[in-house]
Amino acid sequence: MLLEIKNLQASVEGKQILHGINLTINEGEIHAIMGPNGSGKSTLSQVLAGRDTYEVNAGEVNFLGKDLLDMEPEERACAGLFMAFQYPVEIPGVNSTYFLKAAYNEMRKSRGLPEVDAMDFLTLVKEKMKIMELDQSLLNRAVNQGFSGGEKKKNEIFQMAVLEPKLAILDETDSGLDIDALKNVSEGVNKLKSKENGFLLITHYQRLLDYIVPDFVHVLYKGKIVRSGTKELALELEERGYDWIIQEASEKSVVA
Amino acid sequence: MMSTTLPTESKEMHPYTERFNQLEASEWALDPSWLNQLRRAGIAHFAEKGIPSIREEEYRFTNLKPIENQTFDFCCGAPVADPGVSQVQGFCFDQLDAYRVVLVNGQFSKDLSDLSGLPEGCIVESLNEAVRNREDLVQGRLGTQVKVDQSSLAALNTAFFGDGLFIHVKKNLILEKPIQIIQLTANGDEGSNPVASHPRLLAIAESGASFSLVERCVGDRDTAYWVNSVSEFFVAPNASVEHLKVQEESLQAYHTAAIQAYLEQDARFTSHSMAVGAGISRNDIHSILDGKNSEAVLNGLYLGQKNQLVDHHTLMDHKQPNCNSHEYYHGILTDDSRGVFNGKIYVHQIAQKTDAIQNSRNLVLSDRATVNSKPQLEIFADDVRCTHGATIGQLDEDSVFYLRARGINEARARRMLIHAFASDVVDRIPYQAVKDYLENILADRFDPKD
């Protein structure tokens, strides 16, 4: 088991957003979380990555046998958790390659492996470029600075290819991408998926799931998973929208 | 003397005036009369105004009372302790291929300087000597840019500079290697008053000439002293001058400096002011763009820690059309330190097509540190482009989180962002040796100690 979330409740600035999430992800599985705006999708990914602006009020998260909520963001990353940001930050003055090499070596250090030097890292970067096609000149620039929206998202997947996480959370990676970039990003993800790793795709649209086929689809509404199914659920959502699920969910809560 | 009984002079004479009178009657007795007139104008102005107070707009945030309250020994012409070549070499930038000039308490030291290989047509010598032997080059220039009525500190320097540095590069001569200037301040024996030195620099680039100065201001660590310098640059048509100053005085020291460059047509002046040391420091850096198509670039990085006060007042004086001025100042303040930046851009009515950019950014890393940043634009021409921006803030927490989410620990993430902030200015320095040196200072200051 990669990740087990039990009754996770979280709030931001005193307002509760997550009202008890339960979710288990095993090795080799791709899960998709869908839901209307404001349902708590991004909050869930930020809480898992360790953003301290969110407060965890209750629940447990187990990641590879460790208490994830007890770990600093960098410890989570070193343990194999990766979040592709919905809005990757531009960091002027920090060179992309320097940054990625620092991240890569931190990860190696945490695993008791020797750091790689600049030459070896460059070889690795070239190899990973084959997985995620990215203009190499971007790596000579500051992190994300002056990148187009598509380039920023591709850069996130490229970083993922280099860091080889156990579990990757893709937070609305598809938003703002044109069809070519979407295909490109999806191909990258498909090349990286294996029997050992897992993915959590957070998305508003079913479109991404045409290219990355999920094993499980969950619908998040008002901070709770109100329905889980297989990829057919995503297609049904595409066809019928979210209203019917919302209605079902509210009927259930009335009965309860 | 009879005159002391006159009511107008019954006021106690300022000790500096007393000292001035002594020097004028002794050491300077044989100096050219125009020079002594200039000095006298300096002391007269100072006697009238005194050390600037916070009641003056230009010194609102910079309280110089500690300087006023301290008794200093003025060294002007008096013999100074010989610091020795090995100590001086320790102050030089490793790996910087440069000519070396050493000034100890403002006095040119021939023994400690190394000017071997200096090409013909390039004069680098004691200002004292130049005043006597090259009157044609010095008179009419010295004291005409930084005038005594500009500030009482400049006036005091004018009254007391005993020596200094004179640089003259003849027409079309391009000096390939920079001149490294070590400004060393050394106190006297234990028990003596702290030293006040008044270094003076006069640098002239004839038309088409080009040279670079790398100045490093250092002194006895953990001692109090005062350096009050004045530098005047004359940049003739098509000439280019670069002045890089790394100010690393003792944290108990005071450093006040007036730097002014006069630019003629198609001339270029670049200043890099790296202010790291001194308890109180104040730099007035002025570019007078008095020729068409001239360009001035002022870069600055100031780091404040403990109780340091770091003040930069800059002026871009656009007096002719089609001139560019670019200004990038970054400050990083920690502990109880204070940063002051005042950037004035003055565009005269005739100065159409002026292109002026001013950028002041400040990183405040403690709750107690403060910054006063003020752009001051006075524009009297109508066809100009003047942009300015000032920011004061903390490290961007989204950036910190982004780096942490990739496995980089928090301390290192913050450090990377601080270095990045500084590198925007440091990267504009053309000498790798100086860049590396500044990176090390940043690392010392901001990297967590293991």
Side-chain angles (χ1 to χ4, degrees):
Chain A
M1 188 166 43
L2 280 175
L3 183 79
E4 187 182 25
I5 305 174
K6 283 190 206 159
N7 186 35
L8 181 64
Q9 301 185 27
S11 57
V12 62
E13 285 164 2
K15 188 182 173 223
Q16 190 161 353
I17 309 282
L18 301 182
H19 293 270
I21 304 264
N22 293 292
L23 179 69
T24 301
I25 301 176
N26 292 302
E27 285 88 347
E29 290 177 356
I30 297 180
H31 290 242
I33 289 193
M34 304 181 69
N37 286 330
S39 58
K41 300 191 299 288
S42 281
T43 299
L44 176 62
S45 61
Q46 296 275 329
V47 167
L48 292 178
R51 186 79 214 240
D52 61 5
T53 42
Y54 296 88
E55 197 187 336
V56 174
N57 309 106
E60 288 169 35
V61 180
N62 187 298
F63 178 60
L64 293 166
K66 286 185 220 153
D67 178 3
L68 187 78
L69 299 177
D70 198 34
M71 295 159 82
E72 297 292 338
E74 56 268 31
E75 292 170 339
R76 300 178 193 202
C78 288
L81 183 81
F82 180 95
M83 180 177 74
F85 282 67
Q86 183 179 2
Y87 303 109
V89 197
E90 296 197 13
I91 312 182
V94 176
N95 173 274
S96 289
T97 308
Y98 170 79
F99 150 70
L100 197 51
K101 179 167 160 270
Y104 184 72
N105 276 330
E106 289 288 346
M107 231 148 274
R108 287 182 64 90
K109 265 197 288 186
S110 76
R111 285 161 207 176
L113 298 167
E115 297 186 27
V116 298
D117 63 19
M119 287 305 290
D120 288 344
F121 187 69
L122 204 65
T123 313
L124 176 80
V125 160
K126 285 204 172 128
E127 190 191 310
K128 300 296 181 183
M129 286 265 178
K130 289 176 199 154
I131 295 169
M132 188 71 239
E133 283 164 35
L134 191 70
D135 186 352
Q136 202 175 340
S137 68
L138 294 179
L139 292 177
N140 298 328
R141 288 205 224 153
V143 178
N144 292 319
Q145 197 178 25
F147 287 28
S148 70
E151 283 168 344
K152 281 182 187 168
K153 297 294 178 82
K154 278 160 79 171
N155 190 29
E156 294 291 290
I157 306 303
F158 173 70
Q159 290 175 20
M160 184 170 93
V162 171
L163 299 174
E164 296 184 316
K166 289 277 193 301
L167 176 68
I169 304 164
L170 274 58
D171 189 3
E172 305 213 12
T173 298
D174 52 334
S175 68
L177 289 186
D178 63 29
I179 195 74
D180 288 334
L182 182 69
K183 274 186 189 168
N184 211 282
V185 161
S186 307
E187 277 165 22
V189 171
N190 286 329
K191 281 180 203 162
L192 290 169
K193 78 172 181 200
S194 75
K195 283 187 184 132
E196 280 82 44
N197 61 23
F199 287 87
L200 180 59
L201 312 176
I202 291 179
T203 180
H204 190 75
Y205 304 103
Q206 117 85 22
R207 186 172 82 129
L208 176 72
L209 308 181
D210 287 341
Y211 300 98
I212 308 171
V213 182
D215 300 297
F216 301 96
V217 174
H218 312 275
V219 177
L220 191 64
Y221 177 65
K222 286 191 174 167
K224 269 188 151 166
I225 290 175
V226 291
R227 200 177 179 109
S228 294
T230 55
K231 62 179 187 216
E232 281 73 28
L233 175 60
L235 292 170
E236 199 174 354
L237 287 170
E238 174 80 352
E239 215 168 280
R240 299 173 63 190
Y242 287 108
D243 288 354
W244 61 281
I245 288 191
I246 293 169
Q247 202 159 354
E248 271 186 24
S250 33
E251 276 164 18
K252 247 191 252 171
S253 65
V254 170
V255 173
Chain B
M1 268 215 289
M2 290 304 291
S3 63
T4 53
T5 59
L6 290 173
T8 47
E9 297 192 11
S10 65
K11 220 169 64 178
E12 207 181 318
M13 194 185 279
H14 194 286
Y16 293 167
T17 310
E18 213 174 296
R19 177 85 176 114
F20 181 87
N21 291 343
Q22 286 167 4
L23 286 163
E24 195 186 32
S26 56
E27 303 207 16
W28 299 338
L30 298 176
D31 281 348
S33 65
W34 65 267
L35 178 62
N36 278 335
Q37 264 171 31
L38 185 66
R39 285 175 174 149
R40 224 171 289 134
I43 196 67
H45 193 83
F46 179 78
E48 191 190 324
K49 299 274 184 184
I51 302 281
S53 93
I54 49 169
R55 286 189 302 276
E56 291 174 46
E57 182 61 27
E58 295 285 291
Y59 289 85
R60 246 178 85 197
F61 302 109
T62 301
N63 188 349
L64 300 180
K65 270 273 182 241
I67 294 182
E68 197 174 354
N69 294 341
Q70 175 74 53
T71 308
F72 293 98
D73 277 348
F74 277 26
C75 43
C76 351
V80 291
D82 182 357
V85 175
S86 62
Q87 193 196 342
V88 164
Q89 267 162 353
F91 290 126
C92 294
F93 290 109
D94 298 337
Q95 316 290 327
L96 181 70
D97 186 16
Y99 307 104
R100 183 178 74 214
V101 171
V102 178
L103 288 102
V104 183
N105 294 355
Q107 298 206 59
F108 184 88
S109 165
K110 210 168 195 167
D111 294 342
L112 297 174
S113 300
D114 180 3
L115 293 165
S116 53
L118 199 68
E120 209 177 311
C122 178
I123 304 163
V124 179
E125 66 181 21
S126 145
L127 182 60
N128 221 345
E129 269 176 47
V131 156
R132 283 161 187 80
N133 306 331
R134 304 182 198 277
E135 236 174 328
D136 57 320
L137 292 175
V138 176
Q139 191 186 4
R141 286 202 176 96
L142 188 72
T144 61
Q145 279 309 310
V146 180
K147 297 195 185 80
V148 294
D149 58 2
Q150 184 168 308
S151 89
S152 56
L153 296 176
L156 194 66
N157 173 288
T158 306
F160 282 104
F161 76 91
D163 190 14
L165 182 62
F166 176 73
I167 295 172
H168 182 267
V169 179
K170 77 161 193 196
K171 196 176 166 181
N172 293 333
L173 177 66
I174 290 161
L175 203 59
E176 303 283 352
K177 287 201 289 185
I179 302 168
Q180 175 162 222
I181 304 167
I182 307 295
Q183 291 272 14
L184 175 64
T185 309
N187 274 317
D189 298 335
E190 227 170 297
S192 60
N193 288 324
V195 150
S197 87
H198 302 276
R200 187 95 187 187
L201 169 68
L202 177 62
I204 303 159
E206 282 193 355
S207 60
S210 162
F211 65 86
S212 295
L213 307 181
V214 178
E215 184 178 2
R216 198 161 163 199
C217 307
V218 290
D220 293 344
R221 273 188 186 283
D222 307 318
T223 63
Y225 56 86
W226 179 23
V227 176
N228 176 43
S229 73
V230 169
S231 306
E232 293 172 293
F233 293 93
F234 289 83
V235 196
N238 269 311
S240 169
V241 170
E242 182 169 54
H243 178 225
L244 163 62
K245 174 167 136 180
V246 182
Q247 184 271 103
E248 307 172 69
E249 312 282 13
S250 145
L251 287 181
Q252 273 85 55
Y254 310 108
H255 180 101
T256 51
I259 296 165
Q260 185 156 315
Y262 179 77
L263 286 85
E264 295 183 64
Q265 192 168 329
D266 298 304
R268 188 183 160 90
F269 176 69
T270 307
S271 151
H272 309 267
S273 179
M274 307 290 130
V276 177
I280 296 175
S281 69
R282 163 69 176 243
N283 277 294
D284 288 278
I285 305 177
H286 296 180
S287 293
I288 314 300
L289 297 134
D290 200 15
K292 287 177 191 165
N293 301 316
S294 55
E295 181 176 79
V297 179
L298 305 184
N299 297 321
L301 176 68
Y302 45 98
L303 309 179
Q305 64 173 343
K306 297 178 182 158
N307 283 307
Q308 278 184 291
L309 170 82
V310 202
D311 179 352
H312 280 90
H313 270 59
T314 66
L315 166 67
M316 295 290 200
D317 194 9
H318 284 265
K319 294 180 120 165
Q320 293 293 332
N322 290 304
C323 297
N324 297 336
S325 68
H326 297 176
E327 194 165 7
Y328 306 92
Y329 265 81
H330 285 200
I332 307 176
L333 289 309
T334 56
D335 304 336
D336 295 278
S337 64
R338 283 163 297 155
V340 179
F341 175 78
N342 190 98
K344 186 169 173 177
I345 301 174
Y346 195 103
V347 182
H348 294 252
Q349 198 172 358
I350 187 182
Q352 300 293 358
K353 307 279 182 197
T354 286
D355 191 349
I357 299 172
Q358 183 187 97
N359 208 318
S360 149
R361 290 173 61 201
N362 291 280
L363 202 49
V364 181
L365 299 176
S366 106
D367 295 341
R368 303 179 313 273
T370 57
V371 169
N372 294 95
S373 176
K374 183 177 149 201
Q376 197 183 343
L377 274 61
E378 294 180 38
I379 301 167
F380 297 96
D382 50 19
D383 184 13
V384 300
R385 195 180 75 133
C386 291
T387 57
H388 68 93
T391 61
I392 299 171
Q394 282 112 38
L395 286 178
D396 176 33
E397 290 302 321
D398 287 338
S399 300
V400 174
F401 180 67
Y402 189 83
L403 297 175
R404 294 181 73 188
R406 294 292 175 262
I408 295 166
N409 69 53
E410 184 176 1
R412 188 171 179 198
R414 293 189 180 278
R415 187 171 85 208
M416 279 169 80
L417 294 172
I418 291 169
H419 280 265
F421 179 83
S423 72
D424 210 18
V425 169
V426 173
D427 283 350
R428 295 171 199 273
I429 293 173
Y431 306 109
Q432 193 57 44
V434 183
K435 277 199 241 188
D436 291 347
Y437 183 79
L438 289 166
E439 282 295 335
N440 283 337
I441 289 181
L442 288 164
D444 263 7
R445 199 67 82 91
F446 300 109
D447 291 6
K449 308 287 180 288
D450 295 320

